[in-house]
Amino acid sequence: MAEKDREIRPYRKSIALILGIILTVIFCLLCLFRFSPLERLEYLIYDTRYHMHGKRSDIPEEIVIVSIDDRSIEKIGKWPWKRRVLAEIIKRLKDYGSKLIILDVILSEPERDDPILASAILQAQNVVLPIVFDMVGEKRPLSHEILLDHSFPVVKNSEKLNLFPLPSAKNVLVPVRELMENALALGHINIFFDADGVLRWENLAIEFDGEIFPSIDLQAARLFLGIPIQAMILDAAKGVTLGGFFIPTDVHSRILIHYYGPYRTFPYVSVIDLLEGKIEPHVIEGKICLVGAEATGIYDLRNTPVSPAMPGIEKHANVIASIIRGDHIRKVPQFINLIVIFTCGTLFTVLISKRGAIFSAILALIFFLGLLGLTYYLFFERKIWLYLSYPSVSILSIFFAITIYRYATEERHARRIKAMFSSYVTERVVNELIRNPSLAKLGGERKEVTVLFSDIAGFTSFSEKHDPMEVVSILNEYLSEMTKIIFAYEGTLDKFVGDEIVAFWNAPLPQENHAELALRCAIEMNVKLKELQKKWERAGIEPFNAGIGLNTGEVIVGNIGAEGKKMDYTVIGDNVNLGARIEGLTRKLKEDIIITENTLAKLHPLIESNKLRGIRFKGLGSVIVKGRTKPVRIYSVSLKDDKEPSTIEEDETGVTRVYDEK
């Protein structure tokens, strides 16, 4: 498991990187195929930008809306009005000096007053009338030759229309012939809503019976700019040329409607005020006058990004204004959106693949705010529509996916560490290992540690003299108290072998003062045992003694055992064996605590600096224990007045070869 864990850790980082890149590619594909939920989100973001920006300060002054409002209907009569009323509106606008009159009223059915209206249109010489294409009805051929005079005279790169077709009409609804003949121009007023029912696009061209016809807004802008129809050229899948002006479109000859603000951003004039002469001449003079319905009962209200119920006539005002001002919002080519999605996703993945959740969350927020600011700036300062939904959702998805993956894998890893070490070390050490898994070398490694062995003297005979339940109770109490002390001194509890305790220091976490911690732990264990002995004597229970042996040296430490069956985090090696043999000498030499010269060497700087006040180290000579040929000096440890400096009392006795039961 140790080797496997070392292999898995870098593998987890690679998986996080691969996961992020896969998600990035997925979002690129979703963008390429226009994934509906994200497209709707993008439209919502698009609309929100308008709401955030509000009404623009540079409203075009060239346009005024002559409104067929509720007040006018109340005084003139219910809609539709007689044609003579429309004729009077045109005459008044002409008298006021209007430059162009756009009559957004369907005049397809003949009426008795048509000659009066036709005469007014003829005299005005500046009236543009609407036509309406039927996109779904029965297909009929073009029967009004006069329409040809109002179609695009030139279409460049027409072969592209096979790849990017225009909306194709089945039939057309036109004004009464005598009205149509006197009009300055004709243009379609068809509108095409997006899937969510919001009007964002203007179709500048519609195909009907092999001919292509402009919108009424394009015609109005052309006439206002004084451009002859011969200079109106459709460049398929690219844009429209109006003399020296170029209007960029998408591949289907559409433009985004540049809304200058919410409902009533443009100036409105009531028809009744116009007819009653209550309008100042400068309001109309030299302007494009759009005559259309505002009254709610006429049902010419449109759901737009800026208003849920904007009169269709104000939609025309926005489109005409954007054309004559060159105020075009351009949607970036799809490959630019793909580059942004891939770049942001890949960069974000690389930056967080080796970082924690907090850093990743902060970085995700920075990326999102950066994209939000960039797209807002491009939209209103450069009039460029760059997608925000796909790159931002991809970044959030990558963040959550990698975070969840890390949580799942690292939580499993943490549980494994906790299960492995919770019975060995304190909770503080376990938590530190979880935070820094690399500190737990789960495979074997060579490391200097200080080992502690403690064993009860004569436990076998003690067990024979007492009831088993009493033995277990006393042993549990003893082991519990000793374990508390080991943990208090940040030791790692290796195991219980019957009545024997094995612990060590300096693993799994490094401890510079491991020898000191082990020494103080041994002393306190001995003190606690004496307290327990007095307690047992008072209870009429025969007490027992225990010896403690310490040794310091290089060992192999790690998770050792049968993988998948039984494994223990433990220490093995010659120095471990030496610690066990030294503990066995406590009974022969009648000492409570014995340490080796290796441990004393680690403690020597503390002794010299008087940091082990009140501790006496007495030399017991040199011994050769079973399994070793080299003698080692040993020392007993005892307490004296804690105000006295620690001392080392050397014994010059010879070498003793020891053979014991261990």
Side-chain angles (χ1 to χ4, degrees):
M1 185 176 74
E3 291 299 323
K4 187 182 296 184
D5 189 76
R6 280 197 293 267
E7 293 172 2
I8 285 175
R9 254 175 263 156
Y11 181 66
R12 284 202 301 266
K13 295 176 182 177
S14 299
I15 288 293
L17 190 63
I18 293 170
L19 182 61
I21 292 175
I22 288 174
L23 284 172
T24 299
V25 172
I26 288 174
F27 275 92
C28 286
L29 293 174
L30 292 176
C31 180
L32 186 63
F33 293 103
R34 301 186 183 280
F35 183 54
S36 179
L38 288 178
E39 289 291 316
R40 287 178 177 269
L41 176 60
E42 186 61 39
Y43 284 144
L44 179 62
I45 294 170
Y46 180 93
D47 298 347
T48 302
R49 290 194 187 107
Y50 276 113
H51 290 290
M52 290 171 61
H53 196 264
K55 184 178 178 179
R56 285 180 53 170
S57 58
D58 57 338
I59 306 302
E61 299 177 352
E62 299 91 339
I63 299 173
V64 63
I65 296 173
V66 182
S67 171
I68 303 170
D69 57 3
D70 291 322
R71 192 160 57 89
S72 300
I73 290 177
E74 182 180 345
K75 289 192 175 184
I76 297 172
K78 67 178 183 178
W79 184 261
W81 292 333
K82 300 293 183 180
R83 298 279 165 89
R84 66 176 58 250
V85 177
L86 298 178
E88 185 62 24
I89 293 172
I90 291 172
K91 288 177 183 179
R92 289 297 181 98
L93 289 173
K94 182 62 178 178
D95 292 342
Y96 270 107
S98 65
K99 184 172 182 178
L100 196 63
I101 301 171
I102 313 298
L103 196 60
D104 186 22
V105 179
I106 304 299
L107 303 169
S108 59
E109 296 295 327
E111 290 187 7
R112 184 176 60 182
D113 293 339
D114 283 343
I116 299 173
L117 180 56
S119 176
I121 293 173
L122 181 62
Q123 290 178 17
Q125 290 291 302
N126 65 349
V127 178
V128 181
L129 295 180
I131 60 176
V132 181
F133 287 106
D134 183 1
M135 312 304 294
V136 295
E138 182 182 351
K139 186 169 185 178
R140 295 182 180 179
L142 178 64
S143 59
H144 304 279
E145 293 184 2
I146 193 171
L147 281 178
L148 295 176
D149 295 334
H150 303 281
S151 64
F152 279 96
V154 179
V155 178
K156 295 172 61 177
N157 301 312
S158 58
E159 67 279 358
K160 290 185 179 179
L161 296 178
N162 296 323
L163 292 174
F164 309 108
L166 300 175
S168 182
K170 305 294 185 181
N171 197 5
V172 62
L173 188 66
V174 298
V176 173
R177 186 175 185 85
E178 59 184 317
L179 304 179
M180 184 167 53
E181 289 175 344
N182 292 343
L184 181 61
L186 302 174
H188 78 79
I189 58 171
N190 290 74
I191 57 176
F192 299 87
F193 293 98
D194 284 322
D196 57 355
V198 180
L199 183 59
R200 301 184 183 89
W201 296 88
E202 170 79 1
N203 285 75
L204 295 183
I206 290 179
E207 183 273 332
F208 173 57
D209 199 21
E211 299 294 331
I212 299 175
F213 296 88
S215 71
I216 197 170
D217 301 330
L218 182 60
Q219 289 280 47
R222 175 184 67 79
L223 293 168
F224 182 82
L225 295 170
I227 297 170
I229 194 168
Q230 292 77 14
M232 183 173 67
I233 301 169
L234 175 66
D235 192 344
K238 187 175 181 181
V240 174
T241 300
L242 288 179
F245 294 86
F246 182 75
I247 307 169
T249 67
D250 72 352
V251 293
H252 301 292
S253 298
R254 301 182 306 169
I255 61 170
L256 285 162
I257 301 173
H258 192 168
Y259 289 98
Y260 287 81
Y263 170 40
R264 280 189 167 267
T265 289
F266 286 84
Y268 275 68
V269 172
S270 175
V271 164
I272 193 62
D273 290 338
L274 173 73
L275 295 178
E276 292 177 353
K278 297 179 180 180
I279 306 299
E280 294 293 330
H282 72 272
V283 175
I284 302 296
E285 187 177 1
K287 305 290 181 65
I288 301 174
C289 296
L290 298 167
V291 182
E294 181 189 10
T296 54
I298 303 178
Y299 304 108
D300 190 31
L301 302 178
R302 312 299 181 197
N303 185 8
T304 69
V306 291
S307 296
M310 174 180 282
I313 195 67
E314 190 164 359
K315 185 278 293 185
H316 295 308
N318 281 281
V319 176
I320 295 169
S322 66
I323 293 176
I324 64 178
R325 288 285 187 91
D327 238 357
H328 308 299
I329 296 176
R330 291 170 295 152
K331 188 176 181 181
V332 300
Q334 194 72 328
F335 77 90
I336 297 294
N337 284 319
L338 294 175
I339 289 173
V340 171
I341 296 167
F342 186 79
T343 301
C344 289
T346 303
L347 180 60
F348 180 72
T349 298
V350 170
L351 291 176
I352 72 167
S353 60
K354 297 182 180 180
R355 298 301 188 108
I358 294 178
F359 176 87
S360 300
I362 293 172
L363 194 63
L365 181 62
I366 291 172
F367 265 74
F368 176 74
L369 293 178
L371 283 168
L372 182 65
L374 175 64
T375 54
Y376 186 90
Y377 167 79
L378 290 176
F379 190 81
F380 287 107
E381 298 300 325
R382 299 297 180 185
K383 300 179 179 63
I384 295 173
W385 180 12
L386 177 70
Y387 273 3
L388 174 63
S389 60
Y390 288 93
S392 58
V393 174
S394 71
I395 285 169
L396 292 176
S397 299
I398 291 167
F399 166 72
F400 283 116
I402 291 180
T403 300
I404 291 171
Y405 169 74
R406 282 177 175 162
Y407 179 81
T409 56
E410 292 179 7
E411 181 69 13
R412 186 169 64 249
H413 186 65
R415 286 196 301 269
R416 189 163 66 248
I417 288 178
K418 193 166 187 177
M420 187 179 301
F421 287 99
S422 58
S423 60
Y424 302 150
V425 296
T426 62
E427 185 177 353
R428 185 191 70 82
V429 176
V430 172
N431 293 335
E432 182 64 25
L433 290 174
I434 291 172
R435 283 193 296 270
N436 299 286
S438 60
L439 295 175
K441 302 289 186 179
L442 299 185
E445 67 165 336
R446 291 192 175 275
K447 193 171 188 180
E448 181 185 75
V449 302
T450 298
V451 294
L452 178 151
F453 282 82
S454 176
D455 197 7
I456 297 174
F459 185 71
T460 301
S461 58
F462 177 86
S463 301
E464 292 174 351
K465 297 176 182 178
H466 295 79
D467 180 75
M469 294 300 295
E470 185 180 17
V471 172
V472 170
S473 176
I474 294 174
L475 183 59
N476 284 344
E477 181 181 14
Y478 164 74
L479 293 177
S480 177
E481 293 297 331
M482 297 302 109
T483 300
K484 290 178 184 177
I485 296 170
I486 292 171
F487 282 175
Y489 284 93
E490 301 179 359
T492 299
L493 180 63
D494 187 334
K495 62 176 74 74
F496 296 127
V497 183
D499 59 308
E500 183 182 52
I501 301 172
V502 184
F504 55 89
W505 281 258
N506 205 32
L509 298 185
Q511 297 165 307
E512 290 292 329
N513 60 335
H514 57 89
E516 179 189 4
L517 290 171
L519 175 70
R520 293 191 183 279
C521 177
I523 292 172
E524 187 162 337
M525 288 171 68
N526 186 251
V527 171
K528 187 64 179 179
L529 176 59
K530 295 186 183 314
E531 293 176 2
L532 290 174
Q533 288 171 341
K534 293 178 181 179
K535 174 185 174 183
W536 294 332
E537 285 177 346
R538 289 193 297 271
I541 300 172
E542 180 185 356
F544 54 72
N545 287 315
I548 301 174
L550 299 180
N551 181 44
T552 302
E554 187 178 82
V555 301
I556 296 174
V557 58
N559 213 39
I560 299 170
E563 186 169 355
K565 301 296 182 181
K566 171 67 176 174
M567 301 192 77
D568 289 315
Y569 188 75
T570 187
V571 289
I572 58 174
D574 183 59
N575 280 300
V576 178
N577 296 333
L578 178 57
R581 301 300 178 187
I582 294 303
E583 184 278 321
L585 294 177
T586 58
R587 290 181 291 278
K588 293 183 178 294
L589 302 177
K590 308 298 183 186
E591 299 288 351
D592 294 329
I593 304 172
I594 297 178
I595 67 173
T596 66
E597 59 182 326
N598 303 328
T599 303
L600 185 66
K602 296 292 290 186
L603 297 171
H604 210 273
L606 299 175
I607 296 172
E608 290 184 342
S609 60
N610 204 26
K611 293 182 179 179
L612 295 180
R613 185 183 294 275
I615 300 176
R616 177 187 293 111
F617 301 92
K618 179 183 178 182
L620 302 178
S622 298
V623 295
I624 300 176
V625 299
K626 184 178 180 181
R628 291 174 64 98
T629 58
K630 184 178 178 181
V632 58
R633 292 190 62 80
I634 58 174
Y635 297 82
S636 67
V637 177
S638 59
L639 295 177
K640 58 180 181 176
D641 190 335
D642 59 8
K643 295 182 180 180
E644 295 180 19
S646 57
T647 58
I648 302 175
E649 301 173 7
E650 293 288 354
D651 188 340
E652 296 301 327
T653 57
V655 176
T656 302
R657 187 177 298 274
V658 178
Y659 296 97
D660 57 29
E661 65 276 11
K662 286 198 176 285

